[in-house]
Amino acid sequence: LFVSTKGVVELVAAIHYNIGVVYAEMNEYEKSLDSLKKCLRIRGTIHGEEHILYAQTIQKIGDVFLGMSDYHEAMESYNWALDVMYKDPGVHRDYIGEILDNKGIIHTNRGDNDEALKCHEEALKSKRCVFGEDHPELAATYAHM
């Protein structure tokens, strides 16, 4: 079995990512960010900052900031991830829908309901393209509206 050095390094990045996810689920946000930032550095080095794995890591960092109620940092992370994902939206529509829903949550928490509604409507468009009209994944977006 041959595994390239790049593959081994990505495996290490994925481990850091998964550790970060577990810490976030435990509300250990600082530890989560530490692990996710290690993953981000590795993925930036081996894939570049325009790669989907890098963008997904940025998205997860945004999720952690959202959990911490640090809306400014969450929004910055989500906007950066969206910039990368919009370059190939057909492939990344499910992630785009998630991010737009989270941006809508931030706007709701800030009291900007009009902007929240716009985000959730865009999330629905994106999710419908991936899942169809009657998929349960759309229910979360409707619930936010």
Side-chain angles (χ1 to χ4, degrees):
L1 178 67
F2 174 75
V3 178
S4 70
T5 303
K6 185 175 178 180
V8 171
V9 176
E10 173 52 39
L11 180 60
V12 172
I15 290 168
H16 283 297
Y17 182 91
N18 290 334
I19 290 170
V21 169
V22 171
Y23 276 131
E25 289 175 4
M26 297 168 53
N27 297 327
E28 295 280 346
Y29 297 121
E30 295 303 323
K31 290 179 181 178
S32 175
L33 287 173
D34 184 54
S35 290
L36 290 169
K37 287 177 181 178
K38 287 177 184 174
C39 172
L40 192 66
R41 283 191 297 276
I42 294 168
R43 286 182 169 168
T45 300
I46 62 174
H47 300 297
E49 294 183 2
E50 299 295 314
H51 194 275
I52 185 60
L53 290 174
Y54 191 87
Q56 288 171 342
T57 307
I58 292 282
Q59 176 186 359
K60 186 54 69 178
I61 289 171
D63 294 346
V64 173
F65 282 125
L66 179 59
M68 296 169 69
S69 298
D70 187 339
Y71 301 135
H72 175 76
E73 290 296 327
M75 193 67 81
E76 291 287 318
S77 297
Y78 292 146
N79 287 336
W80 196 96
L82 282 173
D83 285 345
V84 172
M85 292 179 189
Y86 277 138
K87 292 177 181 170
D88 194 1
V91 175
H92 309 300
R93 284 200 188 279
D94 52 339
Y95 297 110
I96 290 169
E98 283 179 37
I99 293 171
L100 291 169
D101 267 339
N102 287 344
K103 286 181 66 169
I105 291 167
I106 291 169
H107 287 300
T108 298
N109 290 342
R110 288 178 168 172
D112 189 355
N113 294 328
D114 291 337
E115 195 62 34
L117 185 59
K118 288 179 191 174
C119 288
H120 293 307
E121 288 171 345
E122 285 297 312
L124 276 175
K125 286 180 192 174
S126 184
K127 288 180 176 184
R128 282 184 184 128
C129 289
V130 175
F131 301 111
E133 196 64 42
D134 297 324
H135 195 276
E137 183 66 31
L138 277 66
T141 301
Y142 283 118
H144 294 302
M145 298 171 80

